mmCIF file of all heavy atoms in Angstrom:
data_model
loop_
_atom_site.group_PDB
_atom_site.id
_atom_site.type_symbol
_atom_site.label_atom_id
_atom_site.label_comp_id
_atom_site.label_asym_id
_atom_site.label_seq_id
_atom_site.Cartn_x
_atom_site.Cartn_y
_atom_site.Cartn_z
ATOM 1 N N THR A 1383 57.690 -72.444 -17.829
ATOM 2 C CA THR A 1383 57.701 -72.763 -16.398
ATOM 3 C C THR A 1383 56.438 -73.566 -16.080
ATOM 4 O O THR A 1383 55.341 -73.099 -16.332
ATOM 5 C CB THR A 1383 57.748 -71.519 -15.522
ATOM 6 O OG1 THR A 1383 58.934 -70.758 -15.822
ATOM 7 C CG2 THR A 1383 57.740 -71.884 -14.046
ATOM 8 N N ALA A 1384 56.645 -74.783 -15.566
ATOM 9 C CA ALA A 1384 55.528 -75.627 -15.162
ATOM 10 C C ALA A 1384 55.384 -75.579 -13.645
ATOM 11 O O ALA A 1384 56.368 -75.756 -12.922
ATOM 12 C CB ALA A 1384 55.750 -77.068 -15.625
ATOM 13 N N VAL A 1385 54.174 -75.318 -13.175
ATOM 14 C CA VAL A 1385 53.899 -75.242 -11.739
ATOM 15 C C VAL A 1385 53.075 -76.470 -11.352
ATOM 16 O O VAL A 1385 52.007 -76.713 -11.924
ATOM 17 C CB VAL A 1385 53.141 -73.939 -11.395
ATOM 18 C CG1 VAL A 1385 52.776 -73.910 -9.909
ATOM 19 C CG2 VAL A 1385 53.964 -72.721 -11.780
ATOM 20 N N GLU A 1386 53.581 -77.226 -10.396
ATOM 21 C CA GLU A 1386 52.917 -78.458 -9.971
ATOM 22 C C GLU A 1386 53.098 -78.620 -8.454
ATOM 23 O O GLU A 1386 54.232 -78.466 -7.965
ATOM 24 C CB GLU A 1386 53.482 -79.654 -10.735
ATOM 25 C CG GLU A 1386 52.994 -81.001 -10.296
ATOM 26 C CD GLU A 1386 51.484 -81.155 -10.330
ATOM 27 O OE1 GLU A 1386 50.856 -80.648 -11.302
ATOM 28 O OE2 GLU A 1386 50.933 -81.733 -9.369
ATOM 29 N N LYS A 1387 52.032 -78.938 -7.732
ATOM 30 C CA LYS A 1387 52.125 -78.986 -6.276
ATOM 31 C C LYS A 1387 52.565 -80.340 -5.731
ATOM 32 O O LYS A 1387 53.048 -80.424 -4.599
ATOM 33 C CB LYS A 1387 50.803 -78.554 -5.641
ATOM 34 C CG LYS A 1387 49.627 -79.460 -5.936
ATOM 35 C CD LYS A 1387 48.365 -78.897 -5.296
ATOM 36 C CE LYS A 1387 47.149 -79.775 -5.593
ATOM 37 N NZ LYS A 1387 45.913 -79.209 -4.993
ATOM 38 N N SER A 1388 52.422 -81.414 -6.491
ATOM 39 C CA SER A 1388 52.783 -82.737 -5.954
ATOM 40 C C SER A 1388 54.176 -83.126 -6.370
ATOM 41 O O SER A 1388 54.636 -82.820 -7.489
ATOM 42 C CB SER A 1388 51.784 -83.793 -6.449
ATOM 43 O OG SER A 1388 51.948 -84.045 -7.821
ATOM 44 N N GLY A 1389 54.874 -83.821 -5.458
ATOM 45 C CA GLY A 1389 56.243 -84.231 -5.746
ATOM 46 C C GLY A 1389 56.346 -85.195 -6.900
ATOM 47 O O GLY A 1389 57.229 -85.087 -7.748
ATOM 48 N N ASP A 1390 55.430 -86.181 -6.955
ATOM 49 C CA ASP A 1390 55.491 -87.132 -8.061
ATOM 50 C C ASP A 1390 55.130 -86.464 -9.370
ATOM 51 O O ASP A 1390 55.652 -86.818 -10.435
ATOM 52 C CB ASP A 1390 54.598 -88.342 -7.787
ATOM 53 C CG ASP A 1390 53.136 -87.998 -7.641
ATOM 54 O OD1 ASP A 1390 52.834 -86.821 -7.295
ATOM 55 O OD2 ASP A 1390 52.284 -88.863 -7.870
ATOM 56 N N GLY A 1391 54.261 -85.440 -9.315
ATOM 57 C CA GLY A 1391 53.929 -84.690 -10.522
ATOM 58 C C GLY A 1391 55.123 -83.913 -11.052
ATOM 59 O O GLY A 1391 55.369 -83.870 -12.275
ATOM 60 N N VAL A 1392 55.899 -83.308 -10.138
ATOM 61 C CA VAL A 1392 57.103 -82.588 -10.546
ATOM 62 C C VAL A 1392 58.070 -83.519 -11.281
ATOM 63 O O VAL A 1392 58.612 -83.181 -12.341
ATOM 64 C CB VAL A 1392 57.774 -81.966 -9.304
ATOM 65 C CG1 VAL A 1392 59.191 -81.515 -9.622
ATOM 66 C CG2 VAL A 1392 56.952 -80.780 -8.791
ATOM 67 N N GLU A 1393 58.292 -84.705 -10.722
ATOM 68 C CA GLU A 1393 59.195 -85.657 -11.366
ATOM 69 C C GLU A 1393 58.660 -86.123 -12.704
ATOM 70 O O GLU A 1393 59.415 -86.346 -13.653
ATOM 71 C CB GLU A 1393 59.445 -86.840 -10.441
ATOM 72 C CG GLU A 1393 60.204 -86.477 -9.162
ATOM 73 C CD GLU A 1393 61.483 -85.716 -9.465
ATOM 74 O OE1 GLU A 1393 62.240 -86.166 -10.353
ATOM 75 O OE2 GLU A 1393 61.716 -84.666 -8.826
ATOM 76 N N ARG A 1394 57.356 -86.243 -12.805
ATOM 77 C CA ARG A 1394 56.742 -86.687 -14.059
ATOM 78 C C ARG A 1394 56.929 -85.634 -15.150
ATOM 79 O O ARG A 1394 57.231 -85.950 -16.310
ATOM 80 C CB ARG A 1394 55.251 -86.978 -13.832
ATOM 81 C CG ARG A 1394 54.598 -87.836 -14.903
ATOM 82 C CD ARG A 1394 53.196 -88.221 -14.504
ATOM 83 N NE ARG A 1394 53.188 -89.136 -13.372
ATOM 84 C CZ ARG A 1394 52.701 -88.869 -12.164
ATOM 85 N NH1 ARG A 1394 52.172 -87.666 -11.935
ATOM 86 N NH2 ARG A 1394 52.729 -89.762 -11.208
#
Side-chain angles (χ1 to χ4, degrees):
T1383 300
V1385 177
E1386 174 55 42
K1387 64 183 179 181
S1388 71
D1390 62 336
V1392 166
E1393 294 308 313
R1394 198 173 292 115

